[in-house]
Amino acid sequence: MRTRISRVLVTDAGSSSLRLTVFGDGGEVLNEHHSESPPGEGALGALRQLLREGPAPTAVGHRIVHGGSEMRSHTVLDDDVRVRLDRLADLAPLHVSQALTVVDAARDLLPEVPHVVCFDTVFHAGLPAAAREYAVPAGWREAYGLRRYGFHGLSYAWALARTAELLGRRPEQLQLVMVHLGGGCSACAVIEGRSVDTTMGFTPLEGLVMSRRSGSLDPGALTWLLKRKNVSADEIEDALNHKSGLLALSGTSGDTRDLVRSRAAGDERAALALDVFTHHCRRGIAEMAASLSRLDALVFTGEIGEDQPEVREEVCARLSVFGLTGGLRPVVAERPEIVSAPGARVPVVVVPTGEAQQIDLETRALLVHGRPARSSTPGSPPGG
């Protein structure tokens, strides 16, 4: 498909939020809507209001968190692809089902413009087997697709390209550890522009401690709760996704801004929550660095990564084994910038999150050129 795309509507439906953004062909925001409530039936009304306000989009790009094993590239949406998307809903029911509600509403309202679906898992689709496979029975892996998929890929693709520009190098020349810290948190190892390891796995629940999600824990604890304490699977799923993480540790908030203030006022539980959070960030960074032969930069992105300098400082100050140090500039980043001291052995880079911008780029690249945007193409691991 080849066409001129002047305005792209990007839809980003989370489990409890909806972001709609119309981008111009220079990347400028022409209109936007943001709601901190589940999309549901309200998605249709939000879309109608946005379209009434204008300007009219000439294409739509949709964020889908999980592409499973069959959706390994960003794809132009048609009826066949829409059927395939239904099969993905079970893999991330908190995210995909909500996103499909918005996809359907947008297709109903804009049937004449092309739609593209962009997957967070695509960036990690070329993970090497050692990083991808779980050590579980082959029947589970083959029949259920049980493997590490990785997430936050659209965020990582955006941050990778901005980091390369900032450092004056091509993505293919860099070995990076990238950390996305927000409501969901993960770390990723990148070699030559490709993901070679990541902390999130089959679902966005694995890995680092998050705002309200637990991150990794002993699977034996879950079977113990199921068998010995008669805690239902539904109760476990709800607790691990909505009532754990920083919220559970602090007892008050899953927002690091609140916890930094509470810690300063002497709240010991807030201090514990931040200690556990930053410890797991350091652990995740160290895990990812084990997949690299050198570390060219540490990159922070996501809402916490860009606007919580206290967290960045506490993470880096205790990673001297990797050539990182504290003393970072305590800025709230509004643009990509290096926050480490001049001449630091390993630069620390902050890139404001750009998932919507990356979807805009991917949508245009696919519709205009028939290929993914730069730094977003999965494939064989370097040297593979």
Side-chain angles (χ1 to χ4, degrees):
M1 183 180 297
R2 303 288 189 271
T3 186
R4 183 179 184 276
I5 303 298
S6 55
R7 297 173 299 277
V8 174
L9 165 61
V10 170
T11 77
D12 182 355
S15 58
S16 58
S17 65
L18 174 63
R19 291 179 183 269
L20 305 172
T21 312
V22 180
F23 290 97
D25 55 13
E28 69 277 17
V29 174
L30 302 177
N31 198 0
E32 60 186 333
H33 164 88
H34 179 209
S35 171
E36 290 293 343
S37 58
E41 295 179 359
L44 188 61
L47 281 163
R48 280 182 172 147
Q49 178 63 32
L50 194 80
L51 296 176
R52 277 196 296 268
E53 294 169 359
T58 53
V60 185
H62 303 276
R63 181 189 180 195
I64 305 291
V65 166
H66 211 312
S69 58
E70 60 178 307
M71 305 300 293
R72 294 173 55 86
S73 62
H74 307 310
T75 306
V76 176
L77 181 61
D78 58 22
D79 289 342
D80 177 64
V81 171
R82 178 61 186 84
V83 170
R84 294 166 70 188
L85 293 178
D86 276 330
R87 299 199 291 266
L88 303 175
D90 281 347
L91 294 173
L94 298 177
H95 297 85
V96 175
S97 295
Q98 299 282 19
L100 293 182
T101 298
V102 180
V103 167
D104 291 340
R107 291 183 81 198
D108 286 343
L109 292 173
L110 296 164
E112 302 303 321
V113 307
H115 292 247
V116 170
V117 282
C118 299
F119 302 94
D120 271 299
T121 47
V122 163
F123 189 74
H124 308 288
L127 281 176
R132 181 185 69 232
E133 298 297 333
Y134 289 120
V136 296
W140 293 5
R141 288 181 276 126
E142 293 164 3
Y144 308 136
L146 201 61
R147 49 156 288 187
R148 177 170 281 108
Y149 290 99
F151 300 91
H152 291 137
L154 293 160
S155 174
Y156 287 133
W158 175 261
L160 171 60
R162 307 290 82 71
T163 298
E165 291 171 358
L166 191 64
L167 298 179
R169 300 167 72 178
R170 296 193 309 275
E172 296 80 10
Q173 296 175 310
L174 294 171
Q175 295 196 30
L176 306 171
V177 172
M178 310 180 77
V179 188
H180 178 107
L181 301 179
C185 302
S186 70
C188 175
V190 174
I191 298 179
E192 299 174 8
R194 302 187 185 279
S195 171
V196 296
D197 202 359
T198 189
T199 55
M200 279 184 169
F202 182 70
T203 73
L205 186 57
E206 187 180 2
L208 310 184
V209 171
M210 307 178 216
S211 177
R212 294 170 178 264
R213 285 178 246 166
S214 65
S216 295
L217 73 162
D218 183 354
L222 303 182
T223 58
W224 182 80
L225 288 171
L226 283 164
K227 295 178 64 176
R228 307 296 181 193
K229 299 301 176 182
N230 297 317
V231 181
S232 71
D234 286 345
E235 186 178 351
I236 289 174
E237 185 174 58
D238 180 58
L240 297 183
N241 280 288
H242 301 293
K243 301 173 183 176
S244 297
L246 288 168
L247 177 64
L249 290 165
S250 69
T252 55
S253 176
D255 190 322
T256 55
R257 293 168 295 187
D258 296 336
L259 299 179
V260 166
R261 288 191 291 266
S262 296
R263 179 178 63 182
D267 186 330
E268 293 184 358
R269 290 187 66 181
L272 172 65
L274 289 168
D275 283 348
V276 172
F277 182 78
T278 55
H279 175 78
H280 280 258
C281 285
R282 291 190 294 271
R283 177 187 285 174
I285 290 166
E287 283 184 275
M288 297 302 101
S291 291
L292 308 180
S293 59
R294 65 177 192 275
L295 181 58
D296 293 325
L298 173 64
V299 182
F300 287 94
T301 189
E303 292 179 351
I304 297 172
E306 68 191 65
D307 69 10
Q308 195 74 70
E310 297 89 348
V311 168
R312 297 195 303 260
E313 177 69 20
E314 289 172 34
V315 169
C316 293
R318 295 177 65 181
L319 281 173
S320 58
V321 68
F322 295 109
L324 293 156
T325 62
L328 306 179
R329 291 191 295 117
V331 300
V332 174
E334 296 181 355
R335 64 185 186 279
E337 56 185 305
I338 298 171
V339 297
S340 49
R345 178 181 158 194
V346 177
V348 177
V349 175
V350 179
V351 179
T353 187
E355 289 156 320
Q357 293 93 325
Q358 188 65 28
I359 294 169
D360 174 46
L361 291 178
E362 299 289 358
T363 299
R364 294 175 189 275
L366 196 59
L367 294 174
V368 176
H369 303 295
R371 62 176 184 268
R374 188 180 178 189
S375 301
S376 66
T377 308
S380 301

